Amino acid sequence: FRECTSLTSVVLPDSLTQLGMAAFHECTSLTSVVFPDSLTQIGKQAFADCTSLTSVVLPDGLTQVGEAAFKECTSLISVVLPDSLTQLGDGAFWECSSLTSVLLPDSLTQLCTGAFGQCSSLTSVVLPDSLTQLGDSAFRKCSSLTSVVLPDSLTQLGEQPFRECTSLTSVVLPDSLTQ
């Protein structure tokens, strides 16, 4: 369905467990997606450049969101991530410039490179106590982000995870950091 620019809504079937690469890439009129509870993986760039998508509620049971899955969904304001999620791929929500806040689930152990890079409206983020690795440029150019508390579980901090966060005034680094 890539580049089906008139497509406005999608209801995925209950039998679906994996959504493939670029399945709905550049469906620029897409505003609504209903995900089945059976879904465990969303593939690379599955909804990249769906510029009319405003909110996403990901299903319980989902464990992986692929690389750039929601990249440049510039109207995306709200994302609900399930407690089953363990990994957000590289650039999963890169340049979702309308996203203002995100609550990461306690199941998440790794936040990959650029996961929320260039989310310029992001003002707050709650990092879960389960997080052990924060990837390179994870929050790069989140110019509205003002404060960050890193969890005590964090052992690895990637390169420049908060580069060009020009409004960041406060950060608390945990004693658990080794890298």
Side-chain angles (χ1 to χ4, degrees):
F1 298 98
R2 184 175 181 159
E3 297 178 36
C4 289
T5 57
S6 296
L7 186 65
T8 59
S9 67
V10 173
V11 177
L12 298 171
D14 289 337
S15 56
L16 189 67
T17 58
Q18 296 181 0
L19 189 59
M21 178 177 159
F24 296 96
H25 188 201
E26 291 186 68
C27 291
T28 55
S29 297
L30 186 64
T31 59
S32 171
V33 180
V34 177
F35 296 95
D37 287 336
S38 57
L39 192 65
T40 59
Q41 294 180 7
I42 295 177
K44 178 179 180 179
Q45 296 182 338
F47 295 96
D49 300 297
C50 290
T51 54
S52 296
L53 198 59
T54 58
S55 69
V56 172
V57 177
L58 298 176
D60 291 334
L62 186 73
T63 58
Q64 293 181 333
V65 173
E67 179 182 335
F70 294 92
K71 177 179 94 67
E72 295 181 23
C73 290
T74 54
S75 297
L76 192 62
I77 297 167
S78 169
V79 175
V80 176
L81 301 172
D83 289 335
S84 54
L85 190 68
T86 56
Q87 185 176 5
L88 275 177
D90 292 352
F93 292 95
W94 182 267
E95 207 169 335
C96 290
S97 55
S98 296
L99 191 62
T100 57
S101 67
V102 64
L103 177 61
L104 299 172
D106 287 334
S107 55
L108 192 65
T109 57
Q110 182 180 11
L111 199 56
C112 291
T113 299
F116 291 95
Q118 294 193 30
C119 292
S120 56
S121 296
L122 190 64
T123 58
S124 68
V125 63
V126 176
L127 298 174
D129 290 335
S130 56
L131 194 68
T132 58
Q133 296 177 18
L134 187 59
D136 299 347
S137 300
F139 294 96
R140 181 180 182 179
K141 287 191 176 182
C142 290
S143 55
S144 298
L145 193 62
T146 57
S147 68
V148 175
V149 177
L150 300 174
D152 289 335
S153 57
L154 193 65
T155 57
Q156 295 181 10
L157 196 58
E159 291 183 22
Q160 304 175 6
F162 299 99
R163 179 179 177 181
E164 298 176 79
C165 291
T166 54
S167 297
L168 191 62
T169 58
S170 172
V171 66
V172 177
L173 299 171
D175 291 333
S176 57
L177 274 180
T178 58
Q179 295 183 5

